[in-house]
């Protein structure tokens, strides 16, 4: 998948007032400076949509079968370690077994302020 991203190029009139096309591609650091700049600074809906669509069209079809295989393999690995799927594995790091106690503790700390505001 990294190779697909690294070798993809999307060209189009993505800059206000530009004559000709601007081509979007990854730099040596694995960033997409052209696309990032457009998304961060342009307020032109057509340019934003066209830049995103061009990048999506350049990468999406080539990535889809690879990503499908990645998900299948990830799910198998997660299942082998006792998880329902890869999503279950990823979410487990955010689980808080003492959530009720955490909420109760927070309430105890905030209750005096709340009472003073009343």
């Amino acid at each position: 998948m990294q190779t697909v991203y690294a070798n993809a190029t999307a060209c189009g009139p993505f800059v206000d007032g530009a004559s000709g096309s601007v081509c979007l591609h990854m730099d040596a650091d694995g960033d997409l400076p052209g696309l990032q700049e457009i998304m961060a600074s342009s307020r032109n809906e057509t340019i934003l949509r066209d830049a995103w669509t061009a990048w999506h069209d350049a990468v999406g079809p080539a990535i889809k079968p690879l990503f499908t295989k990645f998900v299948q393999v990830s799910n198998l690995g997660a299942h082998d370690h006792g998880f329902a799927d890869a999503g279950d594995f990823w979410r487990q790091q955010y689980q808080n077994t003492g959530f009720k106690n955490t909420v109760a503790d927070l309430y105890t700390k905030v209750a005096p302020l709340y009472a003073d505001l009343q």
Side-chain angles (χ1 to χ4, degrees), residues 98-111:
F99 182 72
K100 287 182 180 180
N101 291 337
T102 301
V103 171
D105 184 47
L106 288 172
Y107 178 77
T108 301
K109 291 177 181 177
V110 174

Side-chain angles (χ1 to χ4, degrees), residues 5 10-11 16 21 23 26-27 31 33 40 47 54 61 63 67-69 84 86 88 92 96 114:
Y5 272 96
C11 298
D16 282 323
S21 289
C23 292
M26 278 193 161
D27 64 15
D31 293 326
I47 288 174
I63 287 284
F67 188 75
T68 300
K69 184 66 174 176
D88 187 33
Q92 62 87 25
N96 179 347
Y114 182 73

